[in-house]
Amino acid sequence: MKGPLCLLVLLLVSLVALVVADEKYTRKYDDVNVDKILQNNRVLTNYIRCLMDEGPCTAEGRELRKTLPDALSNGCDKCNDKQKVMAEKVINHLKAKRSRDWDRLVAKYDPRGEYKKRYEKS
């Protein structure tokens, strides 16, 4: 009787771990130097092309492209504090220095303007 009970407990713990892990986005790229990317027009342009499906993507770009629609729709609820700060920094930079790219990204990822209002204050 001990064997099946242990297996059941292990299965439940694994299931809970999967659910908890799914509540937040990966921290894998939290140490990416966003300032360095924002200061390098070539690198930033490559990320924008990736997000716009106009060019190849790095691993970080693919993760961002996959995560971005969900993050926008839920107000970045699954983001940790560092990710929220990085997102705000990128948004502010794009709006101030690359407004055409910002407008293109908004048109692609928020065509009805549902999420843009959240970031207009930024």
Side-chain angles (χ1 to χ4, degrees), residues 91 94-95 98-106 116:
I91 288 167
L94 291 174
K95 287 171 65 175
R98 308 263 310 240
S99 60
R100 287 185 186 154
D101 290 322
W102 172 249
D103 291 341
R104 291 178 55 217
L105 288 164
V106 168
K116 186 178 178 183

Side-chain angles (χ1 to χ4, degrees), residues 3-20:
L5 183 59
C6 284
L7 183 60
L8 179 61
V9 169
L10 182 62
L11 184 61
L12 287 174
V13 168
S14 298
L15 181 60
V16 168
L18 282 173
V19 169
V20 169

Side-chain angles (χ1 to χ4, degrees), residues 110-121:
D110 189 17
R112 290 180 259 153
E114 297 173 52
Y115 316 124
K116 186 178 178 183
K117 291 172 190 154
R118 292 181 190 159
Y119 304 106
E120 285 178 346
K121 297 174 189 171

Side-chain angles (χ1 to χ4, degrees), residues 67-108:
T67 306
L68 188 57
D70 185 61
L72 288 171
S73 70
N74 68 36
C76 215
D77 286 343
K78 296 179 186 178
C79 297
N80 62 41
D81 290 339
K82 188 171 187 175
Q83 291 165 344
K84 288 178 183 178
V85 168
M86 289 187 334
E88 186 172 338
K89 186 179 285 192
V90 170
I91 288 167
N92 289 334
H93 179 86
L94 291 174
K95 287 171 65 175
K97 310 258 185 194
R98 308 263 310 240
S99 60
R100 287 185 186 154
D101 290 322
W102 172 249
D103 291 341
R104 291 178 55 217
L105 288 164
V106 168
K108 178 176 175 86

